[in-house]
Amino acid sequence: MTISNGDGDSAAKDGRRERKRKRRAEPSLVKWKTEGEQKTYSSKLIEALRRVRRSSATGAASAATDHSRSRAVREAADRALAAAARGRTRWSRAILCGRTLKRRVLPRAGRPKPVGPARAAERSKPPALKTKARVLGRLVPGCRKLPLPSLLEEVSDYIAALEMQIRAMSVIAEALSAVGGAPSPAQTEGPM
Amino acid sequence: MSYPHAFTPCRRRLSFEEISTQGPLSISYIALPPSLPHHFEAGRKMSSRRSRISEEEINELVSKLQSLLPEARRRGSGRASASKLLKETCNYIRKLNREVDDLSNRLSALMATMDSDSAEADIIRSLLRS
């Protein structure tokens, strides 16, 4: 019984490597546009809103200012959005664990400045692009120190997710305002 | 010399590594490979090769980003400058964040006025229907 492991192994390794590469390929942006994803997110959001409402009702009613309530709503929405991302992206993971860490004082390690003259030969990214990329990295949660290609991937996913969040929240807001305005049951409203 | 997988010594060493290798991506996952000297040299070589290639990569990724922005869809992708695109992306993200904040303000106001739970059941039903 001859087991030709040479070719089999390399082929298997290539397959595994390819699969690894494919798995690490960029998360598809299409899912943020599907209706199903939006509905899932909407139901998650409604549950979170219910919890916020209950906590703000049972808690000190005087302390529940509009600002703190809307901040709680925003955080709940962001957390639901990050949960919908299933942890495949950096910003989602950062949001999910960042909401607890941000309040505490983070030990800020001093940013080590890259030695300029040592890498003067490789100045492919002009400093203007670098600063803009840094600003962009600060806008997206958890992507401050990311190199540019991964940063751009995270940014594209983040933008698609934000757009879906806006769509879902506006649908919920419309539904709530419609229900609040007309005391008649929703059956008479008809399809929205 | 042994390079233990401990945290504090890694942080100091990583600052040097950040200079010599491609990027701070390794900092977030502090796990240095045991063969460190090779890693440093390879990093220096890799960075020189990478920054030469990366410019094309950057242009590619930036053009992909352009397709996401609503502006580019209108103008038919006339704007190719990377720095302008990055700026537009920043503005767009800020605008989206502002919209989310407005919506959450609106939702919190609506939630304050609405009291019954039956309203929410109606909303869920309407959502599931449409």
Side-chain angles (χ1 to χ4, degrees), chain B residues 24-43:
Chain B
L25 196 54
S26 42
I27 288 187
S28 39
Y29 308 105
I30 304 183
L32 291 179
S35 60
L36 213 44
H38 296 294
H39 190 68
F40 279 143
E41 289 178 11

Side-chain angles (χ1 to χ4, degrees), chain B residues 96-114:
Chain B
L96 289 179
N97 272 329
R98 251 178 299 152
E99 282 193 29
V100 173
D101 280 330
D102 287 339
L103 278 173
S104 57
N105 285 342
R106 213 174 128 194
L107 275 179
S108 68
L110 281 172
M111 270 179 8
T113 57
M114 155 193 111

Side-chain angles (χ1 to χ4, degrees), chain A residues 132-134 136-138 140 143-144 146-156, chain B residues 86:
Chain A
K132 294 209 169 64
R134 206 165 292 158
L136 197 56
R138 258 184 294 164
V140 182
C143 299
R144 280 176 195 234
L146 222 47
L148 197 51
S150 348
L151 177 62
L152 292 182
E153 282 190 25
E154 291 284 322
V155 161
S156 46
Chain B
L86 283 184

Side-chain angles (χ1 to χ4, degrees), chain B residues 2-116:
Chain B
S2 66
Y3 296 97
H5 289 244
F7 279 93
T8 20
C10 287
R11 194 162 290 169
R12 253 182 286 125
R13 218 171 298 117
L14 275 170
S15 59
F16 176 72
E17 193 186 14
E18 188 188 45
I19 295 169
S20 58
T21 64
Q22 78 281 20
L25 196 54
S26 42
I27 288 187
S28 39
Y29 308 105
I30 304 183
L32 291 179
S35 60
L36 213 44
H38 296 294
H39 190 68
F40 279 143
E41 289 178 11
R44 240 178 258 128
K45 282 190 206 142
M46 268 178 9
S47 74
S48 61
R49 232 180 289 141
R50 186 154 302 159
S51 46
R52 248 178 263 143
I53 301 178
S54 66
E55 199 151 355
E56 311 167 11
E57 274 186 17
I58 289 176
N59 285 333
E60 232 184 83
L61 291 167
V62 160
S63 60
K64 188 182 74 130
L65 193 60
Q66 186 178 14
S67 60
L68 289 171
L69 301 180
E71 294 252 324
R73 287 181 227 147
R74 259 193 295 130
R75 288 184 206 163
S77 73
R79 299 275 172 271
S81 142
S83 110
K84 195 152 213 176
L85 280 180
L86 283 184
K87 196 166 77 148
E88 302 263 353
T89 312
C90 290
N91 292 337
Y92 188 50
I93 292 187
R94 281 196 206 109
K95 173 179 157 224
L96 289 179
N97 272 329
R98 251 178 299 152
E99 282 193 29
V100 173
D101 280 330
D102 287 339
L103 278 173
S104 57
N105 285 342
R106 213 174 128 194
L107 275 179
S108 68
L110 281 172
M111 270 179 8
T113 57
M114 155 193 111
D115 277 326
S116 61

Side-chain angles (χ1 to χ4, degrees), chain A residues 49-57, chain B residues 111 114-115 117 120:
Chain A
L49 288 180
R50 215 178 279 170
R51 256 178 275 139
V52 169
R53 196 160 62 94
R54 224 167 277 153
S55 65
S56 73
Chain B
M111 270 179 8
M114 155 193 111
D115 277 326
D117 265 326
E120 294 186 26

Side-chain angles (χ1 to χ4, degrees), chain A residues 169-189:
Chain A
M169 285 177 73
S170 43
V171 161
I172 293 180
E174 292 296 316
L176 273 182
S177 55
V179 168
S184 53
Q187 279 106 14
T188 57
E189 300 254 21

